[in-house]
Structure formats: structure tokens, C-alpha cells
Amino acid sequence: MNNVGLSVDHGTATPAAEAEGPVNLETLETIRQRVLWLSTSMIHHANRIRPNPSGLKVGGHQASCASMVSIMTSLWFEQLQPGDRVSVKPHASPVLHGINYLLGELDEKYLTTLREFGGLQSYPSRSKDPDTVDYSTGSVGIGATAPIWGAMARRYVQTTTGGAGTGRQYSLVGDAELDEGAVWEAILDPGIADLGEVVWIVDLNRQSLDRVIPNIAANRLEKMFDAAGWQVITVKFGKLLEELFTRPGGRALRTRILDMPNPEYQRLLRCSADEVRTRLPGNGPGSTEISALIAGLDDATLTAAIRNLGGHDLSALTAAYRQIDDTRPTVIIAYTIKGYGLPTQGHPQNHSSLLSVDEYASLAADLGIDPASPWGRFAADSAAGRRCASTAERLRRNPVPALPALTIPTDIGRTPKGTATTQAALGRVLLDLTREAPEAAKRVVTVSPDVSSTTNLAGWVNKVGVWSAAERRNWFDDDRETIMHWNERPTGQHMELGIAETNLVGLMGELGATWSRWGQPLFPIGVMYDPFVERALEPWSYGIYAGGQSILVGTPSGVTLAAEGGAHQSIKTPSIGLEQPGCISYEPAFAIDTEWTLLASIGRLGRPDGTSAYLRLSTRPVDQTLAAVPTDPAARERRRRQVVAGGYPLVRRDDAQVTLVVMGAMVTEALAAADRLSEQAIPADVVCVTSPGLLFEAVQARQGRGSGDSWILDQLFPADRATPIVTVLDGHPHTLAFLAGINQVRSTCLGVSKFGQVGSLDEVYRYHGIDTDSIVRAALDILP
């Protein structure tokens, strides 16, 4: 990728910013102090003032906020442009709300509602907070990487539909958050090195939740980012320390501070001036020079100097922002002090500590604020008030355009014949969509972690091409033995990342949020091996929470992937689909089921009331005539509605004595078992479940515990046909266990509840007790 559509001189002021004028450092410092006060006060009110009848901890992170105040004040009031987006580290959410309050974007009534039901959220939330939040954060590592995927999503929209504009994607990250492996999976992805609009600012306060981090990590971090192709800007010291370094003994002082272990430095922050004079010089080379240098400083200057790190120096931060190179991603490593400006600054256990009432009053006195009236804004005619007003005007965004009207077909109209797999059906449906609904198909974007060919997307990729911000030469386009054509161009509709499932779902989440950012809905479909869905589940779930709507396809799935053994055989994923909020899961048995459920899932994407979907597909070939798709148009539509609603009756026999309930790839065994039972004069119904989650919602609705429709239960399990049931699926048996409660019947649940084995399909099914013989035995055992 290159920087198509990205202004390389973003650091220069726009006309609006030029009219605003450069900010006076004194004014900026005044704003910084007010932001510190507001963030501290929100947490103080939530814990010390607001009634708390339960006595449970409310919490908040005053120290974590304080270490970010200078960075965020400088960023918002000097640097940001309206097209920029910022991901704020979770524990600094009160800082964000304080800034939004000063900019007039948040009503005062919310400042007393932090961590209160219906109020300001514990961590920034796009969907739940009342003010502007660009990225939901709170799950370690996910919010940090979101702007990377946001940058890719913006570029994709801009090169396909247009309307996304330009702008930087900032991520404000705590240094401890860099311990999360998902962060480095994203940083190291080869496609990231050219995303020049991505800027990370690392709050290097050298503390985690429990301790001061013992090792000096800055040099290591710098090398790791540099090796990944990022520009590295380190903001170590402020103006006062830099000036001291130029004096006699200054070089020794600089070396001493840089070489000092983190805990030793943090301890200095808790010392009086006399103690600093004793401890700071140390015992190594240059100690005499350092002692002489600091002997000439008064106490106030000395204690200020030891706290004068670059992440709190507004002029040093401004200089760092001006160095950003817009041709590659940038990381600014800013040295900070956790709790800067608070009585708890630098304390190793200050992560969740709260100021006492006396400490809060002392802070108010230092800042010249009346603690009895904590929520005042600046006077409109003051320098700070004028800066807040001009900044609000500069950052004002245009409203999100109305969503386009798109028609998604519900039925392509063909009936699959012969033998096919649900995995192969995925690619065919996507190709059919390009012919039947080309405008809707243009919004489809598939994403894969280097498994496009093995998940049957080759035909689709050949048809639509691979997305790249600039066209790239396909050096194998004249190779006759190359079946999958990797044609990269700005109009491509497939995006491929390296083998890292967390990256994949992170990108899916941002592609699925474009409807709410720029009024341009996309239909992202991510494909990965089903055993790895659990690896991706937490970031995908968080993306759904943040408003990203997408379709996750897990394939191949289950122990049906017999030859791959237990390492590649998924067990728990069917129940994951049942339990995931904001998501409808499907496990189709036939190709036509795949078509109907995929089209229905696409139709739910990219809108305010939309939902995500999870499809669990199989590589097992199945005779498609077993689906017995009705030929009558009305009956066919009835079957389609049943499939989309959660299931359908596949076999109905007079005087049925048992009902076999089956899901997905096990349909062949269930039908064979039903035939064998009938040969023994035991008529058996067969019900095919496509979505246990939707059926559970129907059960809840019937009991008055939900708002869903319950009509599907009457069509699958009518009371007048209530019989004992045997459920069977290639997954954990508890997934379908709740179905017995619909008519209060006896049940036996077959499935997979132990690690898989390598073998033939018959051997593996027999090992887990889901083969035809096991189904027949279970049915015989459950009968009176």
C-alpha cells in the first residue's frame, strides 16, 4: 500500500487552525490543569460523594488519567483535525470526557455519573457514552490496535465508494498495554508498514497495576517498532531538564537518569528536596559533578526538574507532533509519571488509589478551584475560554450522511443438486450475488488470514480481485498452472492479512463500522478455520460491542475434519454462537441452507439495528437431494423462512415415536438412523436445526423473557407431536440440550465432549458416539 488519499503535510495547520492561531503555552497549561481537575473530580465524586448503598467498589484511575492529561491536552487543543480519530487508553476515559465537556460536547449533568447506570461508562464506549468517542476501548490491546484497522477501513471506503475523507488515526496506549501479544501481531503485519496515517503515543509511565516495571524498556520498544518499519520519536525530557543538561555536570546527570532503574527513579518522586540531593548523584562516575550541579538549584527547581519528563512538557509534545512522517506509521514514546500533579504521583501502588478528601481539597487549593463548585467551564472572554471555543469549531465534524438504500436478495432461486459441501456453497453464493444484486455485492468485502484458497474463496477472489491502495503487478498472470489469480488493485474486494486471527476480526470490526462513521455500509465476511474461532472470539466480541457488524465464517469445523486430528477439530464453537451477544449463529446442513442464511445475515449488516453473524461450515460432501427442497414457490419460501428462523422439519412420519434433532454435517447420519428405526416399526421425525441461538431466543420469548418471535417452535416442535428427542451435532452436546424443555420430554444429547482423534470419518464418529449406530441406540434407549 501507499499513501493514496493521505495529506503528507497534515502537521501544517488547516485554514481553520490558522485562524485559530498558535496557542499560548500559559493558556495551554491553564487548560491542562482544568482537564486534570475535571478527570480527578469525576472519579472523586463517583467514589467519595455519590451515595453508594451497596458498598461495592466504584473505582476509577486518577493516576492513570493524570499521566495522560498533558498528552491529550496538547493533542486536542493544538494538533487534531476534524478528520482525525483517536483511541483513548481505557483508564483515561475521564480525561476524554473532561475535554469534551470543555469543548461543549458533554452536558454538565453527566460529570457526576461516571460508572453509574446510564451514565459515563467505565471505559470509552462508542455506543454507550453520550459524548464523542471514536473507538471503544477497555479490553487490553484491542482498543490500541483498532486505529490500524480503522485506517485500513477508511482507505477501503475511500477507494471503493468514496466519502471517507482523510485524517490520522491516533492510538493513546499505556506502556503496560504493550505486553499484550495482540498488539505486536498488529504492528508486525506486513501490510501495516505503509499506513502513514497511523500514530501511536505511548504513555511510558513505567508502572503496571501492581508495581513499578523493573526494567528500562524504552530502548527495546524503540528497536521493536523500528524493526517493524515505524518512525520512532522519543520524548524523554522537558525544557527544564534539557537546559540543565547543557550546564557543567549536565551530561553526567543525563546519563545517570537514563541508566537509573525504574524503581529507583520512581522513588525519587516521593522524596523531599534534601533526600533528592542525597540520592540523585549516586555512587558511580560523575556523581561529584551531579552533586555540584544540583547544589546550585533551589528546592523547588530541583523537585520540579526530577519531574520534568517530556510527556508532561507541552512544548516538547508539540515539537514531537511536528516531526511525524506521514509516509509510514509513527510511534511517539513519551516519558511520563503516573499520577503527575497528584499527591499520589509516582507511588508504586497508585494505579487504583483514590485521593482522600483532604488530598482532594489540597489539589483544589493548588489549582485555585473551589471544590464545592467543581464543574466550572472557563469564562467565554478568557484566553482559555476562547481557545476551547476555537478548538470546538476546528474539530466540528459534518453529520454522517444517510445510509444508501440497498436491496439484498433472500433467495437466488436455484436448487443445488448432486453432492456438495456447505463450505463450497459459501463461494458460490458470493459469486451468485455479483450477478443477482451487483450493487449490494459491491459492498461485500471478504477478509482472510492467508486461508482464502483452502476455504473455497478462490473463485470469488478471481472474480473481484484483492484490495490494495495501489495497483500491483501480478507476476503469475501468464502462468497457466496458477489457478488462483492474485490481482491487487484499489477496486478489489478481498483483503488478506498474515496468519493472526485477532488481526482479522479487528479489521472486520472496523469494516463493519463504516456505516456509522461515514454513512457507507460494508458487508465484511471474515473466513478462518473454525478451531481458531475461539482465539479470535474476544476481540471479535469486543468489535460487536463497539458497533462493528460483520459475518465470521468458521470452516472447516468439528471432528468431521477427521484426518486433521484433535488439534484442528473444533468442539465448543456451536455453543459460542449460541451465547455471543449481538450475533446470530448458523450451522447449515445443506448448500441451500448456506445460501439462505448467508443472504439473511448480509441483510442485517450496516444499519443501526443490525447484528453480526457466525456461520459454522463443513467440508463434508452431502447429497443435496436429501434436503428435499419444496418445488412449490410458497412452500419453498416457507422452508426458507424456517431455515433463517432457526430450523425446519426435514422428515415427518405418521405416529412418530421419537424425534431426531440434528445440526449441520450430521444430517446424513440422522436421516440414516431414522430410516433404520422405521424398519423396526419405530417411526421417527427428523428436525434440522440451523440456529440454536434463535431457537433459545424463541423459548425465552414464549416465556415472556424476550421480544423475539416464538412461531418457529410451533413448526418444529408442535405440542401434538411431542415425543422423546435425541439431539446430535458435531460439537458439544449441551448446545441443543435446552430443546427438551419446549414440550417437557425425555431427551438424550449426543455430541463431542472430548478431544478428537485422527482417523476415517466413520472411525471418528464412532469414537465420539455420533455415528448412525449410536443415534439408533440412543433412540431405542429413550423409548418407553
Side-chain angles (χ1 to χ4, degrees):
M1 297 177 220
N2 62 15
N3 286 313
V4 171
L6 178 67
S7 170
V8 296
D9 61 350
H10 177 102
T12 61
T14 63
E18 288 172 358
E20 192 179 359
V23 65
N24 179 281
L25 280 178
E26 184 178 343
T27 300
L28 199 61
E29 173 61 20
T30 300
I31 295 172
R32 187 200 72 79
Q33 291 181 8
R34 186 62 58 90
V35 172
L36 174 65
W37 170 257
L38 289 171
S39 62
T40 304
S41 295
M42 281 182 242
I43 300 169
H44 181 79
H45 187 280
N47 289 273
R48 304 288 194 199
I49 299 176
R50 192 170 69 216
N52 182 11
S54 71
L56 294 175
K57 172 187 173 184
V58 176
H61 302 84
Q62 290 172 328
S64 293
C65 287
S67 69
M68 284 298 300
V69 165
S70 302
I71 292 170
M72 293 177 66
T73 300
S74 177
L75 187 63
W76 259 261
F77 290 91
E78 279 197 299
Q79 184 68 23
L80 289 183
Q81 302 299 318
D84 297 343
R85 298 291 184 270
V86 187
S87 172
V88 177
K89 79 171 189 177
H91 293 162
S93 62
V95 182
L96 175 62
H97 297 310
I99 289 174
N100 283 339
Y101 173 65
L102 293 178
L103 297 179
E105 285 198 19
L106 185 66
D107 193 279
E108 180 180 323
K109 68 180 182 181
Y110 286 107
L111 300 183
T112 60
T113 67
L114 181 69
R115 300 192 170 207
E116 182 179 70
F117 186 82
L120 297 176
Q121 299 299 295
S122 305
Y123 310 118
S125 172
R126 287 192 71 220
S127 57
K128 291 181 170 59
D129 275 318
D131 52 338
T132 298
V133 175
D134 292 331
Y135 290 98
S136 295
T137 59
S139 185
V140 174
I142 295 174
T145 59
I148 290 177
W149 317 124
M152 294 185 72
R154 184 200 292 271
R155 287 192 180 207
Y156 184 87
V157 169
Q158 190 64 17
T159 57
T160 53
T161 67
T166 61
R168 284 186 182 147
Q169 301 280 332
Y170 290 89
S171 184
L172 309 182
V173 189
D175 54 348
E177 196 166 9
L178 296 180
D179 291 341
E180 172 57 55
V183 167
W184 296 102
E185 286 185 347
I187 291 169
L188 294 172
D189 191 275
I192 306 308
D194 297 323
L195 292 178
E197 62 266 52
V198 171
V199 179
W200 283 26
I201 305 174
V202 177
D203 171 18
L204 192 76
N205 60 44
R206 291 149 301 194
Q207 285 185 236
S208 60
L209 191 151
D210 294 324
R211 60 174 182 158
V212 176
I213 298 171
N215 299 318
I216 301 173
N219 292 338
R220 177 169 56 89
L221 292 175
E222 291 170 6
K223 292 176 182 177
M224 292 170 71
F225 276 103
D226 180 69
W230 289 51
Q231 178 193 20
V232 180
I233 300 171
T234 304
V235 189
K236 293 182 179 179
F237 305 114
K239 184 189 303 183
L240 175 56
L241 269 178
E242 291 288 3
E243 192 277 326
L244 291 178
F245 295 155
T246 65
R247 301 184 186 184
R251 180 176 296 180
L253 176 61
R254 189 178 195 277
T255 300
R256 166 71 171 135
I257 293 175
L258 287 176
D259 291 346
M260 188 182 297
N262 287 337
E264 183 181 3
Y265 174 78
Q266 296 289 109
R267 183 65 185 90
L268 288 176
L269 301 174
R270 310 291 299 172
C271 290
S272 66
D274 288 342
E275 290 175 315
V276 172
R277 295 184 194 280
T278 301
R279 290 171 179 260
L280 179 56
N283 300 314
S287 60
T288 302
E289 297 174 68
I290 297 172
S291 295
L293 171 60
I294 64 177
L297 304 178
D298 59 59
D299 288 354
T301 301
L302 178 59
T303 54
I306 204 66
R307 292 166 173 76
N308 187 223
L309 298 184
H312 302 302
D313 189 292
L314 297 171
S315 59
L317 290 167
T318 299
Y321 298 144
R322 289 174 179 165
Q323 296 177 50
I324 294 173
D325 174 7
D326 283 307
T327 65
R328 55 179 175 153
T330 295
V331 59
I332 298 174
I333 299 175
Y335 281 54
T336 62
I337 297 170
K338 197 162 188 173
Y340 180 76
L342 301 179
T344 58
Q345 62 183 331
H347 193 281
Q349 279 83 51
N350 68 6
H351 181 81
S352 298
S353 66
L354 300 169
L355 299 190
S356 68
V357 173
D358 289 343
E359 288 173 330
Y360 180 72
S362 176
L363 177 66
D366 291 343
L367 298 178
I369 295 175
D370 180 3
S373 302
W375 312 122
R377 288 191 174 100
F378 295 111
D381 60 351
S382 67
R386 289 192 296 271
R387 191 66 188 191
C388 288
S390 62
T391 299
E393 180 62 29
R394 166 167 46 91
L395 297 180
R396 183 168 288 114
R397 297 171 181 170
N398 294 324
V400 176
L403 299 176
L406 299 170
T407 301
I408 311 297
T410 58
D411 188 347
I412 300 299
R414 291 191 289 106
T415 303
K417 297 179 173 61
T419 300
T421 72
T422 55
Q423 177 180 288
L426 169 69
R428 283 199 293 269
V429 174
L430 293 176
L431 289 173
D432 286 341
L433 193 63
T434 62
R435 294 184 289 268
E436 298 296 323
E439 289 304 311
K442 289 178 183 177
R443 304 276 177 168
V444 173
V445 52
T446 54
V447 189
S448 172
D450 199 34
V451 292
S452 303
S453 57
T454 55
T455 54
N456 283 88
L457 285 182
W460 162 259
V461 172
N462 288 344
K463 172 77 174 179
V464 303
V466 178
W467 181 83
S468 176
E471 190 154 352
R472 295 178 178 176
R473 171 73 184 273
N474 179 5
W475 292 98
F476 289 87
D477 57 2
D478 58 350
D479 186 338
R480 295 181 180 179
E481 295 183 4
T482 299
I483 299 175
M484 188 173 180
H485 303 293
W486 207 255
N487 297 314
E488 298 178 79
R489 52 182 181 262
T491 57
Q493 291 179 245
H494 178 73
M495 303 178 79
E496 186 128 323
L497 301 177
I499 302 177
E501 286 76 14
T502 54
N503 288 351
L504 176 97
V505 296
L507 176 57
M508 286 169 57
E510 290 306 316
L511 291 169
T514 58
W515 65 273
S516 61
R517 295 193 188 280
W518 305 293
Q520 294 291 347
L522 297 176
F523 306 140
I525 302 173
V527 181
M528 69 175 65
Y529 293 160
D530 196 64
F532 306 142
V533 165
E534 291 180 73
R535 184 184 301 171
L537 181 64
E538 195 256 342
W540 186 56
S541 176
Y542 203 86
I544 295 173
Y545 164 80
Q549 300 164 11
S550 61
I551 299 172
L552 179 61
V553 178
T555 184
S557 63
V559 300
T560 298
L561 195 62
E564 294 290 340
H568 280 70
Q569 296 172 354
S570 54
I571 297 172
K572 295 179 287 183
T573 47
S575 60
I576 285 173
L578 169 67
E579 297 157 2
Q580 174 60 48
C583 169
I584 296 175
S585 64
Y586 289 110
E587 184 163 348
F590 299 101
I592 192 67
D593 299 351
T594 304
E595 175 189 313
W596 287 339
T597 55
L598 180 61
L599 293 175
S601 299
I602 293 174
R604 299 187 186 104
L605 299 177
R607 63 193 203 194
D609 61 342
T611 59
S612 294
Y614 162 50
L615 271 64
R616 190 174 189 252
L617 305 184
S618 173
T619 51
R620 185 187 183 184
V622 173
D623 180 0
Q624 298 301 301
T625 62
L626 297 176
V629 180
T631 56
D632 179 80
R636 179 187 176 99
E637 173 60 14
R638 178 174 181 265
R639 167 69 71 83
R640 187 200 68 81
R641 290 181 67 246
Q642 291 173 334
V643 167
V644 172
Y648 54 95
L650 187 55
V651 174
R652 291 292 197 207
R653 288 189 169 93
D654 294 337
D655 301 321
Q657 298 179 32
V658 66
T659 301
L660 307 182
V661 182
V662 63
M663 195 161 76
M666 304 305 307
V667 68
T668 300
E669 280 66 31
L671 289 172
D675 289 342
R676 285 173 52 180
L677 288 168
S678 293
E679 292 170 0
Q680 301 177 59
I682 303 173
D685 285 347
V686 179
V687 172
C688 189
V689 169
T690 55
S691 176
L694 288 178
L695 296 186
F696 184 77
E697 288 181 12
V699 170
Q700 293 288 87
R702 176 178 283 184
Q703 297 173 350
R705 302 178 184 276
S707 58
D709 294 324
S710 60
W711 62 268
I712 187 65
L713 300 179
D714 295 325
Q715 297 198 9
L716 299 188
F717 305 104
D720 60 356
R721 296 187 67 89
T723 64
I725 65 174
V726 175
T727 65
V728 58
L729 75 156
D730 185 356
H732 200 282
H734 87 276
T735 306
L736 300 178
F738 70 95
L739 296 176
I742 295 174
N743 289 316
Q744 302 299 313
V745 297
R746 296 189 302 278
S747 67
T748 297
C749 300
L750 306 180
V752 180
S753 55
K754 53 188 174 182
F755 289 118
Q757 297 286 339
V758 173
S760 68
L761 198 62
D762 289 342
E763 290 171 327
V764 171
Y765 280 0
R766 190 178 307 113
Y767 173 76
H768 291 285
I770 55 176
D771 60 319
T772 302
D773 285 349
S774 296
I775 299 172
V776 171
R777 283 196 299 270
L780 294 173
D781 288 343
I782 205 172
L783 291 173

